[in-house]
DNA sequence: GGAGCTTCAATTTTT
DNA sequence: TTGAAGCTCC
């Protein structure tokens, strides 16, 4: 077992623990995945049947990578028998197998968030409620958190506290929506993401023989990223492990970033209560990052109250200090960071893939994309609209879903009139109402107007029947035709392929190509499965619902600059990391400022971001940023000043001369010193007012210092005006100007592009 | 029933 | 700024 030589003593101890409960608290970059994979390999070398091992990961990607690594140690054929995947994908498959027990068809559909929201929208509309009050997104997250805490619609309704909260927030009918939603999903033979866990709990609770079977089957259980599990997941694991208690959980409380989605750090803390004789292993040596980065990260996380104390350390070299860049606008931020990447790549001979730009929200990617494109730096954006969420892909997959499960209401609504078949809203409202009246799915109505009469003109009925006939014909072929052949046939005879082919616009061509790519993907999927077995389209559907973009990485994407949200970056590492948009109300997010726990989650998120970096980390913030099309001013994130200053080096790329750096005192007062205006004043290098102010640069306002009451000024938008008043200290210095055409305005000196006319 | 126009709202993170 | 939803006109 040579592979064990690669482990340090702590890692070795953890990896060779065989029986009994164990927990590994693993600091960032401490070789957690290595321990997990080697422990699995070790178990197998010790004679444990891979069929008896269940390893649950947070993403498909993590599962796939771990599987590869295990295969490298014990060989492909052994490795493939380990059950490894995300909670959602592993239990979706188990649920399919036992679906009849809980009243679902075995071809049940998995609704993604879009489907859930669309269904909720219909329900809210049908109930005659105001969707401004009952926002589908918010309603969904409320229902989702109920499900993650295993609260059924009945329990929800009976829970005075919960119903009280809804009443207080002006949504007293929420429990009815939940009930309806549940009923509609059931009628459609559909489960949403949360159901996959909820129903697994139901299955294991109500069918002791099933529970017993899986308890024996999964004699060894490993859970990665345990800090991100929710109550529902926790209970599944607990039940499955109850017999043998060979349970191994790995996590890091400092990297818990999914509490907003129901993840429960308590699961880590409660582990010792559930398994009093558990063994605890701590991995604290970081192998990933320089000393500076590790220590800076430590200094950040120290600000959190809720944490398990540990001391992450490293033997790596000190490395460079962390650069903090201040820019004037978000576009400049994009340019400066892209330039920095360009230069570093050239100077150090690095690959594109060595760089990552991490941000809080997907919307921030824009300015970086533009700048990278201008420099011809290839990049890849993760997240955002994934391939599988694109309209044309969802459309065609809706046909596949209908072939497998025609009761799938969301798929039906999506494509019954796409391509156009003359089935409009009026007819759809008619059949939806009828379906609700008869208590069946829309499909049952349109495929059997005899049993479910609807008052509708015959033409409309005919069109619907024709659609139903087509779907039925697809369904018949489902289990007899190979996935790829049927997929192609459906693409053709549904008319989608033609529809897209006829659209010769660039977007249309791209959509057509996306469909081709999907078909190629299905082909590939068919090939990757075992030989001699017919791979049906429904097999593909099981996988596709739970796939994300990250699972779809193509070869040519390998060597590109990475752009992603910090959430998406968890578990990854890059030599050069740029964490951007470090501004109050953005990171930490505005939504998180109301409570300590939420703010601490943001801080953990920042911790995760920092610890992605191996050799170099750069932070940046901008003084103004476009938010819904409007420039807004912003101030630097509190997180910057929370880092011990000895690890930082401040820079403002646009300023010239020695006085450029943003000094610490300025920062710790949490205000931006208006850099250039004062420094220029001090050095006496004041440029002529008129030329300085004509620059497009909004705060190259060397003029500000010279501005006095009574001066005539020119404003870009308001035209000529006279200064009435000047107030406040430099960063927030305000100037009141009377404009004959627009009246009196109070302007922030930093951003008002005032030109002095006197 | 459908296309095209105007208006209006919304921006956190994702299996 | 973008996208969806509603409205008008054909």
């Amino acid at each position: 077992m040579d592979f064990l030589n690669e482990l340090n003593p702590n890692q070795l101890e953890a990896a060779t623990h065989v029986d009994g409960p164990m927990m590994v608290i693993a600091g960032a970059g401490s070789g957690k995945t290595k321990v997990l994979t080697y422990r699995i390999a070790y178990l197998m070398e010790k004679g444990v049947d891979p069929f008896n091992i269940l390893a649950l990961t947070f993403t498909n990607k993590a599962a796939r990578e771990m599987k590869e690594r295990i295969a490298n140690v014990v060989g492909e054929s052994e490795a493939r028998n380990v059950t490894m995947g995300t909670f959602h994908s592993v239990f979706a498959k188990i649920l399919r197998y036992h679906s009849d027990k809980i009243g679902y068809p075995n071809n049940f559909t998995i609704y993604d968030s879009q489907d859930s929201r669309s269904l909720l929208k219909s329900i809210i509309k049908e109930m005659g409620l105001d969707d401004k009050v009952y926002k589908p997104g918010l309603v969904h997250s409320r229902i989702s958190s109920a499900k993650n805490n295993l609260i059924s619609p009945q329990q929800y309704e009976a829970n005075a506290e919960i119903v009280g909260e809804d009443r207080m927030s002006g949504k007293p009918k929420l429990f009815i929506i939940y009930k309806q939603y549940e009923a509609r999903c059931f009628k459609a033979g559909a489960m949403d993401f949360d159901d996959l866990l909820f129903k697994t709990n139901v299955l294991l609770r109500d069918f002791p023989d099933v529970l017993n079977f899986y308890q024996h089957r999964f004699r060894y259980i490993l859970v990665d990223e345990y800090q991100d599990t929710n109550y529902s997941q926790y209970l599944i694991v607990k039940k499955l492990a109850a017999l043998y208690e060979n349970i191994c959980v790995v996590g890091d409380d400092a990297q818990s970033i999914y509490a907003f989605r129901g993840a429960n750090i308590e699961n880590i803390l409660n582990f010792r209560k559930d398994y009093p004789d558990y063994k605890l292993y701590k991995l604290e040596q970081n192998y990933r990052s320089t000393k500076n980065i590790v220590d800076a990260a430590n200094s950040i996380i120290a600000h959190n109250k809720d944490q398990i104390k540990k001391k992450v350390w490293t033997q790596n070299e000190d490395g460079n200090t962390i650069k903090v860049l201040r820019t004037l606008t978000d576009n400049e931020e994009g340019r400066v960071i892209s330039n920095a990447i360009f230069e570093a790549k050239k100077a150090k001979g690095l690959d594109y893939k060595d760089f990552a730009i991490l941000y809080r929200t997907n919307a921030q990617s824009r300015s970086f994309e533009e700048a990278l494109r201008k420099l011809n730096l290839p990049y890849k954006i993760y997240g955002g609209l994934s391939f599988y969420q694109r309209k044309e892909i969802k459309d065609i997959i809706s046909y596949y879903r209908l072939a497998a499960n025609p009761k799938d209401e969301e798929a039906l609504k999506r494509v019954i009139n796409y391509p156009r078949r003359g089935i409009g809203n009026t007819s759809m409202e008619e059949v939806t109402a009828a379906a609700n009246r008869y208590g069946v799915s829309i499909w049952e109505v349109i495929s059997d107007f005899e049993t479910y009469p609807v008052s509708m003109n015959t033409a409309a009925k005919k069109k619907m029947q024709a659609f139903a006939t087509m779907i039925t014909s697809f369904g018949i072929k489902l289990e007899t035709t190979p996935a790829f052949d049927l997929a192609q046939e459906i693409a053709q005879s549904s008319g989608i392929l033609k529809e897209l082919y006829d659209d010769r616009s660039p977007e249309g061509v791209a959509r057509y190509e996306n469909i081709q790519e999907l078909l190629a993907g299905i082909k590939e999927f068919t090939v990757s499965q075992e030989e001699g077995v017919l791979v049906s389209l429904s097999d593909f559907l099981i996988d596709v619902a739970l796939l994300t973009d990250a699972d779809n990485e193509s070869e040519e994407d390998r060597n590109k600059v990475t752009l992603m949200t910090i959430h998406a970056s968890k578990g990854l590492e890059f030599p050069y990391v740029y964490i951007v948009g470090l501004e109050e109300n953005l990171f930490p997010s505005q939504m998180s400022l109301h409570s300590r726990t939420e703010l601490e989650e943001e801080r953990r998120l920042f911790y995760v971001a920092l610890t992605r970096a191996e050799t170099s980390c750069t932070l940046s913030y901008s003084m103004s940023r476009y938010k819904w099309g409007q420039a807004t001013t912003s101030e630097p994130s509190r997180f910057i000043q929370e880092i011990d200053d000895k690890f930082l080096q401040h820079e403002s790329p646009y300023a010239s001369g020695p006085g450029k750096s943003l000094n610490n005192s300025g920062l710790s007062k949490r205000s931006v010193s208006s850099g250039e205006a004062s420094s220029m004043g001090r050095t006496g290098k004041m440029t002529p007012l008129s030329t300085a102010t004509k620059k497009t640069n909004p705060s190259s306002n060397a003029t500000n210092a010279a501005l006095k009451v009574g001066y005539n000024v020119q404003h870009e938008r308001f035209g000529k005006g006279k200064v009435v008043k000047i107030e406040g200290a430099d960063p927030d210095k305000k100037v009141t100007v009377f404009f004959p055409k627009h009246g009196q305005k109070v302007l922030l000196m930093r951003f008002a592009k005032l030109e002095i006319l006197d």
Side-chain angles (χ1 to χ4, degrees):
Chain A
M1 285 185 258
D2 290 345
F3 59 88
L4 295 177
N5 295 335
E6 296 172 29
L7 301 175
N8 74 25
N10 288 333
Q11 293 171 333
L12 183 71
E13 237 194 304
T16 53
H17 173 125
V18 175
D19 288 310
M22 65 182 284
M23 175 156 74
V24 181
I25 297 292
S30 63
K32 167 191 75 139
T33 312
K34 207 172 184 183
V35 167
L36 261 179
T37 51
Y38 284 180
R39 177 162 184 269
I40 293 172
Y42 183 79
L43 289 175
M44 287 159 70
E45 302 257 337
K46 282 277 168 185
V48 174
D49 186 338
F51 279 101
N52 292 134
I53 300 174
L54 168 66
L56 296 165
T57 60
F58 196 68
T59 62
N60 293 305
K61 198 174 165 200
R64 214 177 21 245
E65 282 172 7
M66 210 183 292
K67 214 159 196 173
E68 268 169 39
R69 288 171 74 161
I70 294 170
N72 284 339
V73 182
V74 298
E76 173 79 34
S77 57
E78 285 287 289
R80 74 181 319 152
N81 293 328
V82 177
T83 304
M84 194 174 291
T86 63
F87 275 89
H88 291 85
S89 74
V90 167
F91 296 113
K93 279 168 196 156
I94 288 178
L95 279 171
R96 281 209 197 261
Y97 196 75
H98 304 282
S99 58
D100 56 311
K101 287 203 158 59
I102 51 170
Y104 275 81
N106 68 333
N107 272 343
F108 67 81
T109 300
I110 297 170
Y111 275 176
D112 66 18
S113 320
Q114 262 182 58
D115 297 320
S116 299
R117 230 165 313 150
S118 148
L119 173 55
L120 282 166
K121 206 168 186 180
S122 321
I123 292 171
I124 290 162
K125 204 168 172 192
E126 287 159 27
M127 285 172 66
L129 298 171
D130 183 355
D131 67 357
K132 302 257 161 53
V133 178
Y134 290 90
K135 290 181 187 162
L138 290 180
V139 172
H140 184 227
S141 69
R142 190 88 178 135
I143 291 175
S144 173
S145 81
K147 285 187 181 177
N148 288 153
N149 288 298
L150 300 180
I151 298 166
S152 68
Q154 290 70 33
Q155 289 165 321
Y156 193 102
E157 182 181 4
N159 187 316
E161 194 186 328
I162 296 177
V163 176
E165 281 168 11
D166 286 341
R167 213 180 304 114
M168 295 294 280
S169 68
K171 301 183 195 59
K173 300 248 171 76
L174 218 149
F175 74 95
I176 306 178
I177 300 177
Y178 184 13
K179 226 183 219 173
Q180 287 255 0
Y181 173 74
E182 189 53 24
R184 284 281 271 280
C185 285
F186 186 74
K187 258 195 300 183
M191 292 195 201
D192 66 16
F193 284 143
D194 305 313
D195 280 333
L196 295 175
L197 307 173
F198 189 104
K199 307 286 184 201
T200 300
N201 269 295
V202 171
L203 182 72
L204 300 180
R205 181 194 66 197
D206 296 347
F207 299 90
D209 52 322
V210 176
L211 174 61
N212 192 262
F213 174 81
Y214 287 105
Q215 282 177 334
H216 280 95
R217 164 85 195 264
F218 299 131
R219 195 163 167 161
Y220 289 88
I221 300 175
L222 301 94
V223 187
D224 192 13
E225 309 281 16
Y226 195 62
Q227 76 282 354
D228 287 327
T229 52
N230 59 36
Y231 179 67
S232 185
Q233 293 167 320
Y234 157 81
L235 209 59
I236 291 172
V237 170
K238 192 179 172 200
K239 281 182 172 165
L240 289 178
L243 191 60
Y244 289 106
E245 292 203 344
N246 290 325
I247 174 164
C248 165
V249 302
V250 181
D252 178 7
D253 60 296
Q255 295 185 65
S256 158
I257 54 175
Y258 285 101
F260 75 94
R261 209 168 78 187
N264 192 184
I265 318 188
E266 302 286 306
N267 289 162
I268 284 198
L269 306 171
N270 288 337
F271 194 79
R272 101 185 63 160
K273 288 186 198 140
D274 289 333
Y275 311 96
D277 58 339
Y278 83 115
K279 192 107 173 46
L280 176 68
Y281 302 91
K282 280 193 183 181
L283 306 179
E284 296 177 314
Q285 181 176 2
N286 175 302
Y287 293 96
R288 179 184 296 153
S289 317
T290 63
K291 217 168 252 158
N292 258 313
I293 292 168
V294 169
D295 291 343
N298 284 339
S299 77
I300 264 291
I301 206 69
H303 286 83
N304 272 8
K305 222 168 119 190
D306 293 335
Q307 55 168 318
I308 299 173
K309 288 276 178 234
K310 58 178 147 341
K311 37 182 188 311
V312 179
W313 58 283
T314 185
Q315 278 181 352
N316 294 343
E317 57 186 32
D318 288 354
N320 292 325
T321 47
I322 294 171
K323 237 182 248 150
V324 183
L325 297 177
R326 175 176 62 151
T327 62
L328 294 172
T329 64
D330 45 357
N331 286 329
E332 191 193 356
E333 185 184 37
R335 286 194 302 273
V336 169
I337 300 281
S338 304
N339 278 327
I341 291 175
F342 184 85
E343 295 299 334
K345 179 182 181 294
K346 204 166 60 177
K348 307 263 162 66
L350 296 162
D351 282 326
Y352 297 115
K353 68 167 163 28
D354 294 330
F355 299 90
I357 299 173
L358 308 181
Y359 35 76
R360 179 67 241 263
T361 66
N362 283 123
Q364 287 167 255
S365 66
R366 206 208 77 249
S367 63
F368 299 97
E369 285 179 72
E370 279 173 16
L372 288 167
R373 212 172 315 140
K374 275 190 191 136
L375 292 175
N376 273 325
L377 294 172
Y379 61 88
K380 156 100 177 133
I381 299 188
Y382 293 80
L385 196 59
S386 91
F387 181 75
Y388 300 101
Q389 289 170 331
R390 291 193 187 146
K391 186 187 174 302
E392 63 275 17
I393 300 298
K394 282 215 76 166
D395 287 338
I396 194 149
I397 284 182
S398 291
Y399 277 99
Y400 300 163
R401 273 164 55 170
L402 280 174
N405 170 25
K407 292 201 285 189
D408 180 339
E409 192 180 311
E410 292 310 306
L412 183 110
K413 281 194 292 197
R414 209 181 158 96
V415 296
I416 191 165
N417 197 33
Y418 181 82
R420 246 154 266 122
R421 308 188 164 83
I423 302 174
N425 287 14
T426 326
S427 316
M428 279 312 286
E429 270 167 32
E430 202 61 52
V431 290
T432 310
N436 287 343
R437 202 163 56 237
Y438 296 118
V440 296
S441 65
I442 296 177
W443 169 257
E444 278 153 296
V445 175
I446 68 163
S447 61
D448 189 358
F449 284 120
E450 304 241 311
T451 317
Y452 307 107
V454 180
S455 59
M456 209 166 55
N457 66 54
T458 9
K461 278 189 193 170
K462 277 246 161 62
K463 290 175 196 160
M464 290 196 175
Q465 278 167 333
F467 178 76
T469 309
M470 176 176 72
I471 295 298
T472 309
S473 76
F474 295 154
I476 290 169
K477 294 178 183 158
L478 198 66
E479 299 305 328
T480 54
T481 314
F484 177 73
D485 303 74
L486 185 57
Q488 197 153 44
E489 185 189 330
I490 293 179
Q492 236 140 39
S493 43
S494 65
I496 283 200
L497 224 43
K498 184 178 182 321
E499 176 90 5
L500 291 174
Y501 187 77
D502 289 343
D503 182 355
R504 298 277 79 193
S505 68
E507 298 82 21
V509 172
R511 280 195 284 268
Y512 184 78
E513 282 168 359
N514 283 336
I515 297 286
Q516 296 299 345
E517 193 181 330
L518 178 77
L519 289 170
I522 295 175
K523 181 106 203 169
E524 199 178 312
F525 174 80
T526 317
V527 177
S528 69
Q529 305 297 304
E530 276 176 72
E531 256 180 81
V533 190
L534 177 100
V535 182
S536 76
L537 200 50
S538 43
D539 294 324
F540 176 72
L541 285 176
I542 302 174
D543 270 47
V544 86
L546 299 168
L547 279 183
T548 56
D549 233 18
D551 305 318
N552 203 27
E553 194 175 57
S554 65
E555 200 52 48
E556 69 258 37
D557 284 341
R558 284 285 153 77
N559 193 16
K560 289 185 176 175
V561 175
T562 298
L563 276 74
M564 56 170 54
T565 64
I566 300 166
H567 281 89
S569 77
K570 193 169 73 156
L572 305 177
E573 56 189 16
F574 305 89
Y576 280 64
V577 167
Y578 300 83
I579 307 169
V580 301
L582 272 160
E583 292 145 38
E584 285 294 298
N585 296 327
L586 180 60
F587 193 18
S589 154
Q590 199 168 9
M591 324 291 283
S592 71
L593 299 177
H594 311 295
S595 70
R596 180 177 61 85
T597 51
E598 283 175 298
L599 184 62
E600 293 201 349
E601 176 147 315
E602 293 284 307
R603 193 174 284 118
R604 291 193 296 269
L605 193 57
F606 186 44
Y607 177 82
V608 168
L610 271 174
T611 52
R612 296 312 93 202
E614 293 171 8
T615 52
S616 161
C617 184
T618 304
L619 313 178
S620 74
Y621 64 94
S622 169
M623 295 171 64
S624 77
R625 178 174 297 281
Y626 273 89
K627 244 177 185 174
W628 57 93
Q630 269 206 318
T632 52
T633 65
S634 35
E635 53 175 319
S637 168
R638 66 191 71 193
F639 294 153
I640 296 177
Q641 52 152 336
E642 286 178 4
I643 300 179
D644 195 325
D645 215 68
K646 66 183 174 211
F647 304 121
L648 301 181
Q649 178 193 347
H650 296 275
E651 275 181 32
S652 309
Y654 56 86
S656 58
K660 63 183 177 179
S661 77
L662 186 57
N663 60 30
N664 316 328
S665 56
L667 249 190
S668 48
K669 273 187 245 133
R670 300 245 338 269
S671 61
V672 188
S673 76
S674 135
E676 56 293 331
S678 48
S679 69
M680 281 188 180
R682 254 182 268 119
T683 51
K685 256 176 55 186
M686 197 173 286
T687 24
L689 299 178
S690 50
T691 53
T693 46
K694 269 187 190 137
K695 282 194 242 162
T696 46
N697 222 337
S699 59
S700 59
N701 45 6
T703 61
N704 285 358
L707 201 63
K708 292 210 175 78
V709 173
Y711 276 27
N712 287 309
V713 291
Q714 173 88 28
H715 185 271
E716 196 182 46
R717 217 170 87 230
F718 302 131
K720 281 182 189 160
K722 200 177 193 114
V723 177
V724 178
K725 196 168 141 196
I726 297 174
E727 60 192 326
D730 214 342
D732 302 312
K733 203 179 215 175
K734 287 180 197 135
V735 51
T736 310
V737 184
F738 178 76
F739 297 100
K741 287 183 192 152
H742 296 91
Q744 196 155 306
K745 305 270 174 199
V746 182
L747 307 165
L748 207 53
M749 184 94 81
R750 263 186 295 161
F751 295 102
K753 301 177 198 171
L754 291 177
E755 187 180 344
I756 298 177
L757 299 172
D758 295 270

